[in-house]
């Protein structure tokens, strides 16, 4: 076997293990299999390894058509732009999951179908300006800092509903839901409380009846270490990196 074949097989095994964890978490929560999508967080992962993971996933989906293909999530626009051409033939569905500066909006929009990190009216307005003439609206998630940690990106929980309503009314955008990065803590109950707060926020916005909020169902929350907690609290999308690609190199 070649080195690439070995690497693809390892990634396939890890992807299968992640899917098994998600399925088990869904079953434990009384949720149907397939109700949670998997997004590969590919920060610092080179395009060649991302390609191998996507090829392994495509083989798994071909073998079991009930599986939804994985999504790809990039944190940094510069990585998104650098890897995009090398992965274009595979046509992955790619989300931006990191902060987006206004001067990088055009570069990001070439490659993504969803921006998960909308945390200000200014960014939402800039995206709307760029997307008004697109054939289909851009999916966006409002990123919420449920933990209140100063190191975390996102709008404060108390301001999130108002921002979501404002975003939902903008032309060229579709408010698809909410995203958060959970509390960094070994206390599963404390982590879960943040995820429960995001789910409650989502439900409040859906019930509001405000224009453009009816499709805001996505809850992007949970990562490699806490995806079970997130699924138990209603996650519809989990972002996994190290569980598939291994520990990220330290700077």
């Amino acid at each position: 076997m070649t080195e690439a074949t070995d690497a693809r097989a390892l990634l396939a095994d890890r992807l299968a293990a992640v899917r098994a964890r998600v399925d088990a978490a869904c079953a434990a929560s009384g949720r149907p299999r397939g109700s949670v999508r998997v997004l590969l967080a590919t920060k610092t992962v080179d395009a060649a390894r991302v390609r191998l993971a996507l090829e392994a996933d495509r083989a798994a989906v071909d073998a079991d058509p009930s599986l939804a293909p994985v999504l790809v999530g990039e944190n940094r626009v510069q990585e998104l732009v650098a890897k995009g051409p090398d992965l274009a033939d595979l046509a992955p569905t790619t989300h931006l999951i990191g902060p987006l500066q206004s001067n990088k909006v055009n570069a990001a929009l070439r490659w993504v179908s969803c921006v998960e990190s909308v945390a200000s009216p200014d960014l939402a307005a800039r995206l709307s300006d760029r997307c008004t003439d697109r054939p289909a609206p851009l999916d966006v998630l409002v990123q919420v800092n449920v933990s209140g940690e100063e190191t975390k990106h996102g709008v404060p929980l108390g301001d999130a509903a108002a921002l979501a309503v404002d975003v939902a009314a903008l032309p060229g955008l579709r408010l698809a839901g909410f995203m958060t990065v959970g509390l960094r803590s070994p206390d599963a109950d404390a982590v879960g409380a943040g995820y429960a707060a995001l789910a409650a926020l989502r439900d409040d916005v859906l019930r509001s009846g405000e224009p453009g909020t009816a499709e805001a169902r996505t809850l992007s929350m949970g990562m490699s270490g806490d995806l079970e907690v997130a699924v138990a609290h209603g996650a519809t999308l989990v972002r996994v990196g190290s569980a598939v690609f291994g520990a990220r190199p330290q700077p």
Side-chain angles (χ1 to χ4, degrees):
M1 294 175 65
T2 67
E3 184 176 344
T5 302
D6 289 344
R8 189 183 294 108
L10 176 60
L11 291 167
D13 288 345
R14 289 175 174 176
L15 275 168
V18 166
R19 280 201 166 100
R21 287 175 61 189
V22 171
D23 287 348
C26 286
S29 303
R31 300 178 59 188
R33 180 176 182 263
S35 58
V36 180
R37 293 289 298 272
V38 174
L39 177 146
L40 296 180
T42 54
K43 181 180 178 180
T44 75
V45 181
D46 62 70
R49 289 192 73 210
V50 177
R51 169 176 283 277
L52 291 175
L54 291 173
E55 289 172 348
D57 181 67
R58 184 161 296 180
V61 172
D62 287 344
D64 182 358
S66 70
L67 298 176
V70 295
L71 310 173
V72 172
E74 284 289 355
N75 284 76
R76 299 167 176 164
V77 175
Q78 55 266 43
E79 285 194 59
L80 174 69
V81 171
K83 298 174 196 175
D86 294 330
L87 302 173
D89 61 303
L90 296 177
T93 300
T94 303
H95 292 193
L96 183 68
I97 59 176
L100 176 60
Q101 297 174 334
S102 294
N103 63 349
K104 295 182 178 179
V105 165
N106 288 344
L109 289 179
R110 181 179 177 186
W111 299 107
V112 300
S113 62
C114 178
V115 175
E116 295 197 14
S117 50
V118 175
S120 73
D122 288 345
L123 176 58
R126 181 64 65 92
L127 288 168
S128 175
D129 288 344
R130 297 297 187 272
C131 294
T132 301
D133 295 329
R134 284 165 61 112
L138 174 74
D139 283 354
V140 296
L141 306 184
V142 169
Q143 183 170 357
V144 184
N145 184 349
V146 296
S147 70
E149 294 169 280
E150 292 184 1
T151 56
K152 295 282 174 63
H153 183 68
V155 63
L157 185 61
D159 299 330
L163 177 59
V165 169
D166 289 345
V167 170
L170 291 172
L173 305 182
R174 184 180 80 98
L175 178 68
F178 300 86
M179 186 267 261
T180 196
V181 178
L183 177 69
R184 187 179 180 86
S185 170
D187 184 344
D189 290 338
V191 175
Y195 292 152
L198 192 72
L201 166 70
R202 188 272 312 271
D203 293 345
D204 287 345
V205 170
L206 285 173
R207 284 193 296 262
S208 72
E210 293 286 347
T213 60
E215 297 180 87
R217 299 182 182 88
T218 298
L219 289 176
S220 175
M221 58 190 195
M223 297 187 287
S224 293
D226 65 356
L227 67 83
E228 286 85 0
V229 178
V231 171
H233 288 88
T236 64
L237 178 64
V238 293
R239 309 182 303 274
V240 297
S242 60
V244 173
F245 296 110
R248 185 177 297 132
Q250 295 299 311

